[in-house]
Amino acid sequence: MIRLACSLLLSLATCYASVHAAAPQFPGAKSQYQGFDRYDFPVDGKTATVVVPKQAAPGNPWLWHGEFFGHKTEPDVALLKEGFTIVYMHVPNMLGSPTAVAHWNALYQELTEKYGLAKKPALTGLSRGGLYAYNWAAANPEKVACIYGDAPVCDIKSWPGGKGKGQGSAGEWKRALQAYGFADEAAALAYDQNPVDKLEPLAKAGVPLLHVYGDADDVVPWDENTGVIAERYKKLGGDIQLIAKPGVGHHPHGLEDPTPIVDFVVKHASVQPTYEAQPAQKVKPRDGLGNVLKKLNAGQPVKIAYLGGSITAANGWRVKTLDWFRKQFPQAKVDQIHAAIGGTGSDLGVFRVEQDALQYKPDLLFVEFAVNDGGAAPEQIWKAMEGIVRQTWTANPETDICFVYTYRTSYEEPTRAGLCPRAASAMEMLADHYAIPSINFNLDVVKREGEGTLVFQAAEKPADGVLQFSKDGVHPLDAGHELYAADVAAAVEQMKDLPPVDHATKMATPFVADNWEAAKMIPLQPSMLKGDWKKLTDADSLQRSFGKRLGQIWEATEPGSELTFKFRGSQAKLYDLVGPNGGQVSITVDGVTRDKLAPRFDSYCTYHRIATLQVANDLDPNAVHTVTIKVDAKQPDRTPVAFRLKDPETELKSPKYQGTNIWVGQIQLLGDLVTE
C-alpha cells in the first residue's frame, strides 16, 4: 500500500543558494528611474547610483555607464526589463583619468563582493564616457563582458584637445591636464595610454565591442576615435561591430530603435549558470502544485501527464500514483496522459512534449529524465529541460510541473554525500529558477539499503524482510515502484496547502538564453520525398507499433531514395526507427556531404525501436539550410548485434537481417521549416 504519511525531510547542513536570486538590496536614498527602484549611496567617497530590475536575471548581470547617465534611456529600460542592473558612479570632470579608474575599482569590488553583481559587467561609454569605459576595461580586461561605445571619445588629443579635425574644448582640455596630472600640454600630447593605445589586453581577453557613431561628427570625429579603434582592434583579432549614422553629427546619440544595442549587451553580458552539485532533499515544494490541487479538491476533471523514459513507461509508479490520485480525490475524474518512451532523454522529450503531452491539455506534468540524462552535460540538460518547461507554460500557464529524480546504481554515492547526482543537480538548478517542485526518489532507496532492508540489484529475491529493488540496477521491480509512488504521495501531502500560481510570470527571464523552447516536430510531406517512398498503412505492423509516437511513418527500401527539406534554424534531426533490416544513409547539409554514412542499425537491433538521427547541428540560426538524406546501396555491418544471437553465422544471413530500409516519421527542428 502507498503510505500517505509524509517522511521527515533530511536535515542539510549546507544551505541552498538560489541560482535565480532576487535583485540585491542596496542602501541609500531610494527613488524611481523610469518605473524602477533607484538607490544612491556613497562608495569610496563618491556617489554610486544603482537601478534594479523587478526581477534579476540569473547571475545578476549589469550595465555600467561611463558618463551622462539618464540620457537616451531606452536601452536602460529594455535591459532592466531583461533583468539587468544599471550602474553609474558620479566622478564627473575626471575624464577617465587614473584617479577615476581607482574609484571605479572600488565600486566594482563593492558591487561584486558585497552585493553579488556579475563578475563581468557590460560597459557603456557615451561621448566622454568612452574614456572611463575603455580606461577601466584596459586596466581590468578579465572583468569586462563587452563595451558599447556611443560616439565615444577614445583619444584625449582628439577631444577635448581638438588637435585633429574636431572643435575640441579649451576648458575641458585644461581640466584633462589637471585630472591626468600632466605637467604641460606637451606631456598630454605625448601620452600613449589613451584607449586607442591600450587595445591589446581587450583583444586577448576576447572583449566584443559595439560602436554607434555619426559619420558627420565634428565634436568627436569618428575617424580619430571609433575609426582608429576599429582598425587596430581588427588587426589584433578583436571583434568589433560598427553602426554608422549617415549625415549625423555628435547628436543625437543612440539609435531610434535600440534593439541592436540591447541585443548586443544581452548576448555578451548575460550570465550563463555555472553547474554546481545541489543538496539532495526528498521534496522541494517551491511553488507547489496549487493549480491542479485546486481542481482536484473542487471535483473537477484533471489530466496528469507523465513524460519520461522506460522507468515511467513501465506499469509502475505512473500507474500507482494515478491510482493514488483517484483514491484521494474520488469526486474528481482523473485521467492520465502516457508520454513516456523507453531509452529516451530530455533531448527527445523537448521535441515531442507538444505532440505526446501538451496537445491533450494536462493539468499536471511529471518530468522524469534523471537516469536517461545521466550521461549528458548540464548545459545540454538545461537547454532541453527548459524547453519543456517553457513550451508547457506557453501552452497553458496554469499547468503545474513536477520534476522527479529516479535511482540507478552509482547514484548512491552522491546521495550518501548529501548531494544529487549530476543530472538531478542540473535539473534542480533549473527547478529553483522556475520554482518547480521536485521529488528525489534516491533518498529513500539509498537510506533503506544502508539500513540493510533493501538491495539495489539482485537476480533473485533476497531474504525475507529485504526488498529487491531491481534486477538490473536501473528498472525498479514492483516493490521499488511502490517506494517511488509513496514518495509522490508524501510530497503531494506536503504541498497540499500551497496556493495556485500563474506560471506566466516566471517566463520573463530564461535560465539559459539558448534553451530549446523553439523545438518542434514536422510531419514528412510527399513534396520532400524522391524515389521509392511509401506511406505505411494502419495495417502495417510498424505503423501499429510506433505510429502513436512517430505519427505517419514513411518507408524507403530502394537505394537512391531521398528526403530533402529546407529550414531556417540551428538544428535538425529525423524522428525515425532503427531495426534488424535497417539500412544506412548519406547526409548532405548545404551542399556538403558527411564523410561517414549513418546506419539505422546498432548492437541492440534484434528488434525495431524508436530513434533519432542528428542530421544538422550548430548552424547559423538565421540562415536557410538545405538537408538531403539519401538511402545508400549497401546495408550496414550487422556483426555488432552478433553477441546477442544464439547462432549469429546463420541468423545474420536470414531475411530478418537483410535490407536497406529506412523509416521516418517526423523532422525535429530547432527553427522553422521553409517551404517554397
Side-chain angles (χ1 to χ4, degrees), residues 407-410 412 445 449 454-462 466-477:
Y407 170 81
R408 63 154 301 154
T409 49
S410 79
E412 66 273 11
V445 174
E449 194 274 344
L454 177 148
V455 291
F456 295 138
Q457 179 178 355
E460 303 294 336
K461 190 177 185 308
V466 178
L467 187 151
Q468 181 186 8
F469 178 75
S470 73
K471 290 186 177 181
D472 61 2
V474 178
H475 299 90
L477 298 172

Side-chain angles (χ1 to χ4, degrees), residues 234-350:
K234 289 176 181 177
K235 286 182 179 179
L236 290 167
D239 175 16
I240 181 168
Q241 178 184 352
L242 302 177
I243 301 179
K245 297 183 291 186
V248 175
H250 194 60
H251 297 279
H253 287 287
L255 297 172
E256 289 187 10
D257 178 3
T259 300
I261 299 167
V262 175
D263 287 349
F264 172 80
V265 173
V266 170
K267 177 181 179 180
H268 296 293
S270 292
V271 181
Q272 289 288 81
T274 300
Y275 170 79
E276 293 183 4
Q278 300 299 304
Q281 191 166 323
K282 193 169 184 178
V283 181
K284 286 284 288 187
R286 297 187 177 92
D287 276 353
L289 305 174
N291 296 320
V292 67
L293 286 172
K294 180 181 178 181
K295 295 185 72 172
L296 287 166
N297 285 317
Q300 297 177 348
V302 161
K303 293 180 181 178
I304 301 175
Y306 296 83
L307 181 69
S310 58
I311 295 172
T312 298
N315 291 327
W317 78 272
R318 171 178 53 82
V319 174
K320 294 176 185 294
T321 56
L322 183 68
D323 288 344
W324 181 83
F325 277 107
R326 287 170 172 168
K327 291 174 182 177
Q328 286 296 112
F329 304 95
Q331 71 278 25
K333 183 177 183 295
V334 184
D335 291 324
Q336 72 160 319
I337 302 168
H338 184 346
I341 301 177
T344 66
S346 62
D347 58 340
L348 174 58
V350 68

Side-chain angles (χ1 to χ4, degrees), residues 461-528:
K461 190 177 185 308
D464 289 344
V466 178
L467 187 151
Q468 181 186 8
F469 178 75
S470 73
K471 290 186 177 181
D472 61 2
V474 178
H475 299 90
L477 298 172
D478 187 71
H481 279 290
E482 193 75 25
L483 295 180
Y484 286 180
D487 284 345
V488 172
V492 174
E493 289 284 330
Q494 186 173 331
M495 292 184 273
K496 65 182 180 181
D497 295 326
L498 293 175
V501 173
D502 179 4
H503 300 299
T505 61
K506 304 174 183 179
M507 298 278 279
T509 306
F511 185 67
V512 291
D514 55 350
N515 68 74
W516 290 358
E517 182 180 359
K520 58 178 65 72
M521 295 205 298
I522 308 293
L524 262 62
Q525 302 297 323
S527 59
M528 302 175 181

Side-chain angles (χ1 to χ4, degrees), residues 95-440:
L95 300 171
S97 65
T99 302
V101 169
H103 286 305
W104 271 42
N105 285 338
L107 179 58
Y108 174 86
Q109 182 176 1
E110 182 92 353
L111 294 180
T112 56
E113 295 183 6
K114 187 174 182 179
Y115 297 105
L117 293 193
K119 298 297 186 183
K120 289 189 175 186
L123 309 181
T124 179
L126 188 154
S127 192
R128 71 182 69 183
L131 294 171
Y132 293 85
Y134 270 102
N135 285 341
W136 188 83
N140 300 276
E142 75 287 351
K143 299 174 182 176
V144 181
C146 59
I147 301 175
Y148 158 52
D150 187 326
V153 177
C154 303
D155 189 337
I156 59 172
K157 295 189 293 294
S158 175
W159 188 94
K163 306 306 178 182
K165 298 178 182 179
Q167 307 168 10
S169 170
E172 295 297 338
W173 181 237
K174 182 178 179 180
R175 195 190 306 276
L177 299 184
Q178 294 173 345
Y180 280 79
F182 295 130
D184 51 30
E185 182 174 274
L189 295 176
Y191 187 60
D192 62 355
Q193 293 298 302
N194 280 287
V196 294
D197 305 311
K198 300 185 294 183
L199 295 171
E200 187 173 358
L202 300 180
K204 286 184 177 179
V207 177
L209 312 178
L210 168 65
H211 278 212
V212 174
Y213 64 95
D215 65 6
D217 192 339
D218 61 356
V219 178
V220 182
W222 80 271
D223 52 346
E224 297 173 4
N225 294 274
T226 288
V228 177
I229 291 279
E231 180 183 2
R232 293 181 179 179
Y233 208 58
K234 289 176 181 177
K235 286 182 179 179
L236 290 167
D239 175 16
I240 181 168
Q241 178 184 352
L242 302 177
I243 301 179
K245 297 183 291 186
V248 175
H250 194 60
H251 297 279
H253 287 287
L255 297 172
E256 289 187 10
D257 178 3
T259 300
I261 299 167
V262 175
D263 287 349
F264 172 80
V265 173
V266 170
K267 177 181 179 180
H268 296 293
S270 292
V271 181
Q272 289 288 81
T274 300
Y275 170 79
E276 293 183 4
Q278 300 299 304
Q281 191 166 323
K282 193 169 184 178
V283 181
K284 286 284 288 187
R286 297 187 177 92
D287 276 353
L289 305 174
N291 296 320
V292 67
L293 286 172
K294 180 181 178 181
K295 295 185 72 172
L296 287 166
N297 285 317
Q300 297 177 348
V302 161
K303 293 180 181 178
I304 301 175
Y306 296 83
L307 181 69
S310 58
I311 295 172
T312 298
N315 291 327
W317 78 272
R318 171 178 53 82
V319 174
K320 294 176 185 294
T321 56
L322 183 68
D323 288 344
W324 181 83
F325 277 107
R326 287 170 172 168
K327 291 174 182 177
Q328 286 296 112
F329 304 95
Q331 71 278 25
K333 183 177 183 295
V334 184
D335 291 324
Q336 72 160 319
I337 302 168
H338 184 346
I341 301 177
T344 66
S346 62
D347 58 340
L348 174 58
V350 68
F351 286 97
R352 65 182 185 84
V353 63
E354 165 60 31
Q355 171 186 281
D356 292 350
L358 301 183
Q359 69 162 321
Y360 303 111
K361 304 185 185 310
D363 300 286
L364 170 61
L365 175 67
F366 284 109
V367 184
E368 175 270 306
F369 289 118
V371 166
N372 287 353
D373 277 2
E379 294 76 12
Q380 167 70 36
I381 294 171
W382 291 331
K383 292 177 184 180
M385 290 289 286
E386 184 169 21
I388 292 169
V389 170
R390 295 183 71 85
Q391 286 185 49
T392 300
W393 287 341
T394 297
N396 181 3
E398 293 186 358
T399 300
D400 288 329
I401 301 173
C402 183
F403 291 172
V404 296
Y405 309 137
T406 50
Y407 170 81
R408 63 154 301 154
T409 49
S410 79
Y411 282 6
E412 66 273 11
E413 296 177 13
T415 303
R416 285 175 179 145
L419 299 172
C420 293
R422 186 175 70 168
S425 285
M427 294 172 189
E428 278 290 83
M429 293 173 70
L430 181 66
D432 197 57
H433 175 84
Y434 284 109
I436 295 169
S438 60
I439 308 170
N440 191 331

